[in-house]
Amino acid sequence: MGCRRVVIIGGLGFLGQELCKALLRAGKLAGDEISNIILVDISIPEPRPAFCSDPRVEVQVGSATDEDLCKKLMESSGDSLSVFHLAGIMSGQGEKDFDLALSANLDA
């Protein structure tokens, strides 16, 4: 049994937040102790959700379409890695910025 880093892209959306809270409660994933949960989102709500104060949680502003950010997130720290891609541009925002919706929802 080792340690595991978890990256949640779209981590501050509804599903990302629920997944993060569930992982924090469980403390383990695939038999490994969760050492770090990195929440990646294009914006950070203020105030931040209370679970973000957990020392295992790290919040980063960024997009799944940013190749450099994705490479950095995948860099090995010696821990196992799990990635959950839950990002998406939803209807209201997607209708306002169709190119962004296509990029985030299809290209990422």
Side-chain angles (χ1 to χ4, degrees):
M1 180 168 67
C3 292
R4 180 172 299 271
R5 287 184 317 127
V6 177
V7 174
I8 304 175
I9 301 170
L12 289 165
F14 177 76
L15 291 176
Q17 288 188 42
E18 293 303 310
L19 175 60
C20 184
K21 290 187 283 189
L23 291 170
L24 289 170
R25 279 191 302 273
K28 292 185 178 190
L29 180 63
D32 293 331
E33 193 80 27
I34 295 173
S35 60
N36 185 237
I37 300 175
I38 303 169
L39 304 177
V40 180
D41 215 307
I42 59 173
S43 64
I44 300 173
E46 288 299 332
R48 287 186 183 197
F51 65 85
C52 289
S53 64
D54 187 293
R56 295 171 290 176
V57 176
E58 177 185 336
V59 177
Q60 290 192 19
V61 175
S63 170
T65 61
D66 181 340
E67 188 175 334
D68 291 332
L69 173 63
C70 290
K71 286 179 182 177
K72 181 181 170 219
L73 292 169
M74 302 307 131
E75 287 177 354
S76 176
S77 67
D79 291 351
S80 297
L81 175 66
S82 292
V83 177
F84 294 88
H85 188 297
L86 302 176
I89 303 299
M90 307 323 296
S91 59
Q93 186 179 6
E95 290 170 10
K96 290 178 188 170
D97 191 341
F98 191 67
D99 290 336
L100 174 64
L102 286 176
S103 175
N105 295 342
L106 297 177
D107 297 336

